[in-house]
Amino acid sequence: MEWYNQCSLCPRKCGADRLTGSGACHTKLNISPEGELMIPVARAALHFWEEPCISGSAGSGAVFFSGCSLGCVFCQNGHISSGESGVYITASRLSDIFLELQAQGALNINLVTADHVIPIVADALKRVRGKSLTIPVLLNTSSYLTVHQLRLLEGLVDIFLPDLKYTSALIAKRFSHAPDYPEVAKAAIAEMYRQSGPCVFDADGHITRGTIVRHLVMPGCTADSKSVVRYLYETYGDNIYISIMNQYTPMDWVSDIPLLNRRVRHSEYESVIDYALSLGVTNGFRQEGAAASSSFVPPFDHTGVLPH
Ligand code: SF4
């Protein structure tokens, strides 16, 4: 029996048959006429809205995978995390996409929410990484993944861009239906740091290796945000970067949910930043200006997914 017939890949371990798409990640796999597994991808294009050391002015080569094994109720990429958008491609086509993004001048390959399809992504990377693909590879993840999932990528990823969304099991249960998220994510980030080591930047200030942990400040949850920052700084000190984000955007489907139906107040965000500074955090990023609008969400129109 193959792993996808009774899937226990991610911490949900839901046992779904991935060929029917009945898993908690909403990601049905297909089989090509040649017998290769196929996964749905929503967009593959240069992306300019990551941290400056990732996007630079040339852009990050972002590949957005459809579906998600965490499934936060407030997700601003909800149209792809719910598996509604995507074109099916093989690992062979995915490796060609990596090379096409490199040819467009991408600073790195940015794998956005690939956790639930990691075996196929690892297959694609093995075909080209260290051969025709010479730019760094970055895993952009919710951190809701097992150490086993991450070890499938050993030696294939240079930069990790994980979230640490919550340290509170109660908030994780309420916002992501995953009360085990804090312990799972902490173990995952430890494994990412083991694989990446401390951050390394090139002469232009672009990251080439290391781990940058993101935290999105949520409305009404500043106490947990401070707990997140404290955990990261006490555990990793200056060996990682911490990116504290204010871009929470209430989407239509959370308009009836208290807290989630409003933006983060300026005072809430600044209190988390002040706390980080008071701890001594210097290796970090903050977002300037007002909380973001939905313009941060790119169109998931299958750009760059199929061959020209
Ligand atoms: S990856 Fe998807 S199908 Fe597999 S265990 Fe996780 S949620 Fe279930």
Side-chain angles (χ1 to χ4, degrees):
M1 180 177 288
E2 301 286 354
W3 65 270
Y4 49 83
N5 294 131
Q6 204 169 358
C7 185
S8 60
L9 184 65
C10 85
R12 300 276 184 207
K13 299 196 185 309
C14 69
D17 177 356
R18 298 290 297 271
L19 296 178
T20 68
S22 56
C25 57
H26 305 288
T27 312
K28 180 180 180 299
L29 305 179
N30 277 349
I31 305 275
S32 75
E34 294 75 33
E36 283 190 83
L37 277 179
M38 302 179 82
I39 55 174
V41 173
R43 180 179 173 86
L46 295 178
H47 192 68
F48 298 91
W49 298 276
E50 310 288 21
E51 287 76 359
C53 64
I54 296 170
S55 291
S57 55
S60 176
V63 182
F64 291 87
F65 295 89
S66 297
C68 177
S69 48
L70 186 54
C72 304
V73 298
F74 56 83
C75 181
Q76 66 180 37
N77 289 344
H79 292 299
I80 58 167
S81 63
S82 62
E84 293 168 22
S85 173
V87 174
Y88 279 87
I89 60 170
T90 62
S92 170
R93 172 62 196 147
L94 184 57
S95 60
D96 286 346
I97 286 174
F98 297 157
L99 298 179
E100 288 166 10
L101 290 168
Q102 178 175 258
Q104 291 170 34
L107 291 175
N108 44 61
I109 297 300
N110 185 346
L111 306 166
V112 185
T113 316
D115 307 353
H116 52 298
V117 289
I118 272 181
I120 296 98
V121 173
D123 181 2
L125 285 171
K126 285 174 187 166
R127 295 167 190 241
V128 290
R129 191 182 181 280
K131 303 167 194 161
S132 42
L133 183 70
T134 56
I135 56 177
V137 176
L138 179 154
L139 185 73
N140 189 333
T141 169
S142 70
S143 300
Y144 194 56
L145 73 183
T146 65
V147 170
H148 171 72
Q149 273 173 288
L150 283 163
R151 294 213 169 141
L152 296 175
L153 295 173
E154 180 106 43
L156 299 172
V157 171
D158 304 282
I159 305 160
F160 291 95
L161 186 61
D163 297 333
L164 185 53
K165 293 177 180 293
Y166 335 99
T167 59
S168 161
L170 277 177
I171 298 175
K173 181 179 180 187
R174 183 174 171 200
F175 290 171
S176 301
H177 305 297
D180 60 343
Y181 176 87
E183 60 189 271
V184 166
K186 287 176 182 175
I189 291 169
E191 171 63 16
M192 293 181 224
Y193 180 69
R194 184 193 69 77
Q195 291 190 25
S196 77
C199 292
V200 178
F201 299 85
D202 67 16
D204 296 319
H206 303 138
I207 187 167
T208 58
R209 192 155 194 88
T211 298
I212 299 174
V213 182
R214 283 176 163 172
H215 174 68
L216 178 65
V217 179
M218 298 297 294
C221 297
T222 54
D224 196 53
S225 290
K226 292 172 184 174
S227 171
V228 165
V229 173
R230 185 172 61 248
Y231 170 77
L232 290 171
Y233 192 61
E234 287 180 351
T235 307
Y236 299 101
D238 294 329
N239 289 317
I240 63 165
Y241 276 65
I242 304 173
S243 181
I244 302 174
M245 309 175 76
N246 70 348
Q247 69 181 57
Y248 173 69
T249 305
M251 306 304 277
D252 292 345
W253 48 86
V254 296
S255 57
D256 295 334
I257 303 178
L259 288 185
L260 291 181
N261 59 6
R262 70 164 173 88
R263 295 181 186 282
V264 172
R265 297 189 183 107
H266 177 73
S267 58
E268 291 177 312
Y269 182 66
E270 289 303 321
S271 78
V272 179
I273 294 292
D274 288 347
Y275 182 74
L277 293 172
S278 75
L279 289 177
V281 175
T282 54
N283 287 352
F285 300 94
R286 60 167 297 164
Q287 288 184 313
E288 303 294 342
S293 71
S294 57
S295 62
F296 273 77
V297 182
F300 297 120
D301 54 3
H302 310 157
T303 295
V305 180
L306 293 175
H308 303 303

